[in-house]
């Protein structure tokens, strides 16, 4: 998005699975800095902060720690009663009829597609602007992923292109709520109903998201959430599937625990040993009580963290308004945006440096960043297997070359936020610090 004196461009907001975006976290750095020294001879003459501000650090409190200790002392550290409790509470939070806990959002996507009957000979439509796990799970089912481009302003799936990609072999569509921003679910659900498609939502970023008064997690046939460490709430590693169909919920549980018949985890409980039957060659996708122990308290606090992240988001918008970089597109008035990160677009002609150089400059000043994402079709495996070319999806290509994500955790202090703002200004060749409290004004 070229920047002009007449108009400052808007653009794509935030996304992840246990999605390990290409983080520049600073882990393993051996060099010790002295006051006034800069890292690596950066062209941005900023002083590196200490300690390094890790991208996506989780907000873990005393309650989570105590709950984990309780699980360790109880001796029940595998799948057990806390997982069941977490599922019940998450279903209540979302307003879903059923919630099934698993060990990742990748597992959630894979199981959802499988129980929906997706298999060899089928096609599944999704966006190229996503983490590869979205596409990999389609491949693991034996189906063919059909990629379509995204909207350049939001990064969300282009529904018109999705509609044009439907063939007699199309079995499902996987919209991705990128950066916690809900897709146009009205158009997607109408498309699915018209063509008899299963809707599996990738909501890795979107725990608190709401589309026109309805929570994400109550819209499609299946919705898949991530609790990876960089998300709005975490279990370290983990995921959840919500669905309104009780038969599908039971199938998800069975497929996710070796294909064992119902509630097989109880065979070692105080209920006494129970024989189980294997009804499907399932997977080891179950969540543990140690993970659920963290999730129970994260879930209780996640809505309280959203206002803090929203305040930081607005603070960034204000501070970066005059810089030669493109900011996230504004939120829709009838949706709740639940971003786990804040995403800029760095265009070399406007900013005077490439995205990668911009990230390197922030690194030298002690600020961790991420890339969400380089579009799927750009990666060698998908090019070689499916014949994609880098220029096939121009909007996703354009974003992939420019996108960079900044820390947005509710754990950030006002000082952390000011450090990010100062570093971004200096990386753009500006000396403004814009220091203030996030909650001032």
């Amino acid at each position: 998005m070229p920047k002009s004196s007449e108009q400052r461009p808007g653009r794509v907001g935030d996304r992840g699975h246990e999605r390990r975006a290409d983080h520049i976290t600073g882990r393993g750095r051996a060099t010790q800095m002295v006051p006034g020294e800069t890292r690596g001879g950066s062209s941005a003459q900023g002083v590196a902060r200490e300690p390094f501000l890790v991208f996506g650090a989780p907000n873990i409190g005393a309650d989570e720690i105590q709950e984990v200790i309780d699980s360790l002392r109880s001796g029940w550290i595998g799948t057990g009663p806390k997982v069941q409790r977490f599922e019940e509470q998450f279903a209540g939070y979302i307003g879903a009829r059923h919630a099934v806990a698993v060990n990742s959002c990748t597992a959630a996507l894979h199981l959802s597609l499988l129980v929906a009957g997706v298999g060899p000979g089928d096609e599944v439509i999704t966006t190229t602007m996503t983490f590869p796990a979205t596409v990999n799970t389609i491949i693991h089912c034996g189906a063919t992923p059909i990629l379509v481009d995204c909207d350049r302003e939001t990064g969300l799936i282009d529904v018109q292109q999705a509609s044009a990609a439907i063939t007699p072999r199309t079995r499902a569509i996987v919209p991705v709520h990128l950066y916690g921003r809900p897709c146009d679910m009205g158009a997607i659900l109408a498309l699915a109903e018209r063509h008899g498609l299963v809707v599996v939502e990738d909501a890795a970023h979107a725990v608190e998201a709401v589309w026109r008064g309805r929570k994400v997690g109550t819209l499609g046939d299946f919705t898949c959430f991530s609790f990876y460490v960089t998300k709005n709430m975490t279990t370290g590693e983990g995921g959840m599937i919500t669905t309104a169909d009780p038969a599908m919920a039971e199938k998800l549980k069975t497929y996710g625990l070796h294909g064992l018949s119902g509630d097989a985890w109880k065979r070692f409980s105080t209920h006494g040993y129970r024989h189980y039957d294997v009804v499907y060659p399932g997977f080891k996708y179950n969540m543990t009580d140690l993970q659920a122990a963290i999730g129970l308290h994260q879930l209780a606090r996640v809505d309280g963290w959203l206002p803090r992240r929203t305040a930081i988001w607005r603070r960034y918008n204000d501070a970066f308004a005059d810089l030669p970089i493109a900011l996230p597109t504004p939120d829709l008035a009838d949706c709740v945006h639940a971003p786990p990160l804040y995403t800029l677009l760095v265009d070399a002609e406007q900013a005077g440096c490439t995205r990668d150089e911009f990230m390197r400059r922030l690194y030298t000043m002690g600020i961790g960043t991420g890339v969400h994402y380089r579009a799927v079709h750009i990666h060698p495996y998908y090019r070689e297997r499916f014949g994609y070319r880098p220029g096939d999806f121009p909007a996703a290509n354009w974003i992939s070359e420019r996108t960079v994500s900044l820390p947005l955790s509710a754990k950030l202090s006002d000082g952390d936020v000011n450090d990010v703002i100062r570093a971004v200004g200096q990386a753009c060749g500006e000396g403004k610090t814009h220091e203030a409290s996030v909650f001032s004004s």
Side-chain angles (χ1 to χ4, degrees):
M1 285 171 208
K3 180 164 179 148
S4 69
S5 57
E6 293 79 31
Q7 183 176 7
R8 178 176 61 79
R11 119 55 298 204
V12 21
D14 135 56
R15 186 196 200 232
H17 268 131
E18 53 289 346
R19 301 176 182 235
R20 292 172 172 80
D22 302 323
H23 297 146
I24 294 184
T25 62
R27 292 187 177 94
R29 298 173 308 120
T31 305
Q32 295 295 315
M33 305 304 297
V34 296
E37 185 180 0
T38 60
R39 297 178 194 277
S42 170
S43 58
Q45 298 302 311
V47 177
R49 61 162 272 155
E50 290 287 356
F52 190 91
L53 185 61
V54 175
F55 178 89
N59 196 0
I60 302 293
D63 289 341
E64 288 93 327
I65 293 169
Q66 189 55 49
E67 195 74 49
V68 169
I69 291 171
D70 177 75
S71 293
L72 291 170
R73 286 177 172 160
S74 75
W76 199 292
I77 61 176
T79 300
K82 287 186 181 179
V83 171
Q84 189 173 50
R85 202 165 104 223
F86 185 36
E87 289 173 334
E88 292 168 354
Q89 292 187 13
F90 192 85
Y93 170 77
I94 293 293
R97 292 183 185 175
H98 304 278
V100 178
V102 289
N103 59 18
S104 68
C105 188
T106 303
L109 289 163
H110 189 202
L111 290 178
S112 296
L113 291 166
L114 282 174
V115 303
V118 172
D122 293 332
E123 293 177 349
V124 178
I125 295 170
T126 193
T127 172
T128 187
M129 181 47 62
T130 184
F131 187 71
T134 312
V135 176
N136 292 346
T137 56
I138 298 168
I139 296 170
H140 292 324
C141 290
T144 301
I146 304 299
L147 301 184
V148 299
D149 209 350
C150 64
D151 176 80
R152 203 169 95 159
E153 293 298 312
T154 63
L156 301 177
I157 189 169
D158 186 318
V159 181
Q160 287 189 336
Q161 290 198 25
S163 178
I166 293 173
T167 74
R169 294 182 298 277
T170 306
R171 185 65 178 268
I173 183 169
V174 182
V176 178
H177 301 300
L178 191 64
Y179 315 133
R181 191 187 298 275
C183 296
D184 183 354
M185 290 306 297
I188 289 168
L189 293 173
L191 187 68
E193 184 176 2
R194 194 156 60 244
H195 295 277
L197 306 181
V198 175
V199 178
V200 178
E201 297 173 68
D202 183 336
H205 286 181
V207 168
E208 311 105 305
V210 178
W211 179 80
R212 296 185 177 175
R214 297 179 64 186
K215 284 281 288 182
V216 168
T218 64
L219 298 160
D221 298 290
F222 305 91
T223 308
C224 304
F225 298 91
S226 172
F227 305 135
Y228 179 59
V229 67
T230 59
K231 299 304 183 290
N232 295 343
M233 60 171 285
T234 187
T235 58
E237 296 276 3
M240 191 77 76
I241 310 159
T242 57
T243 181
D245 189 324
M248 289 294 102
E250 193 59 39
K251 224 173 177 182
L252 288 165
K253 290 183 178 182
T254 298
Y255 281 32
L257 188 59
H258 300 297
L260 307 184
S261 50
D263 286 335
W265 66 267
K266 290 183 179 178
R267 67 193 184 279
F268 298 125
S269 72
T270 55
H271 296 278
Y273 188 84
R274 299 181 180 187
H275 289 290
Y276 56 83
D277 293 314
V278 176
V279 296
Y280 179 83
F283 303 88
K284 182 64 171 167
Y285 281 166
N286 55 302
M287 178 179 281
T288 70
D289 267 24
L290 287 177
Q291 293 167 304
I294 300 171
L296 285 164
H297 295 282
Q298 292 274 298
L299 180 62
R301 296 195 288 157
V302 69
D303 276 349
W305 289 331
L306 183 56
R308 171 64 178 175
R309 295 200 322 274
T310 301
I312 296 170
W313 179 281
R314 290 172 179 164
R315 181 86 182 81
Y316 284 161
N317 276 348
D318 291 344
F320 302 150
D322 297 326
L323 298 181
I325 48 182
L327 308 187
T329 193
D331 297 343
L332 294 174
D334 55 357
C335 294
V336 173
H337 181 199
L341 42 82
Y342 181 95
T343 309
L344 298 169
L345 291 173
V346 179
D347 185 275
E349 290 186 9
Q350 302 297 320
C353 66
T354 65
R355 181 267 313 283
D356 291 353
E357 171 60 18
F358 180 83
M359 293 175 72
R360 191 189 71 80
R361 291 177 183 181
L362 290 183
Y363 172 80
T364 65
M365 289 181 276
I367 306 298
T369 55
V371 173
H372 300 77
Y373 297 100
R374 290 170 60 231
V376 170
H377 74 279
I378 293 172
H379 294 281
Y381 172 79
Y382 310 99
R383 293 204 316 265
E384 292 166 10
R385 177 162 179 182
F386 300 106
Y388 293 121
R389 295 167 298 178
D392 281 348
F393 305 102
N397 239 48
W398 191 87
I399 293 170
S400 297
E401 293 170 354
R402 295 163 175 80
T403 187
V404 57
S405 303
L406 302 180
L408 193 71
S409 169
K411 185 179 180 179
L412 296 178
S413 68
D414 283 356
D416 293 333
V417 174
N418 286 329
D419 285 345
V420 173
I421 290 170
R422 183 187 305 108
V424 168
Q426 291 172 344
C428 291
E430 300 285 338
K432 301 174 185 178
T433 61
H434 299 277
E435 291 190 11
S437 167
V438 170
F439 293 111
S440 64
S441 79

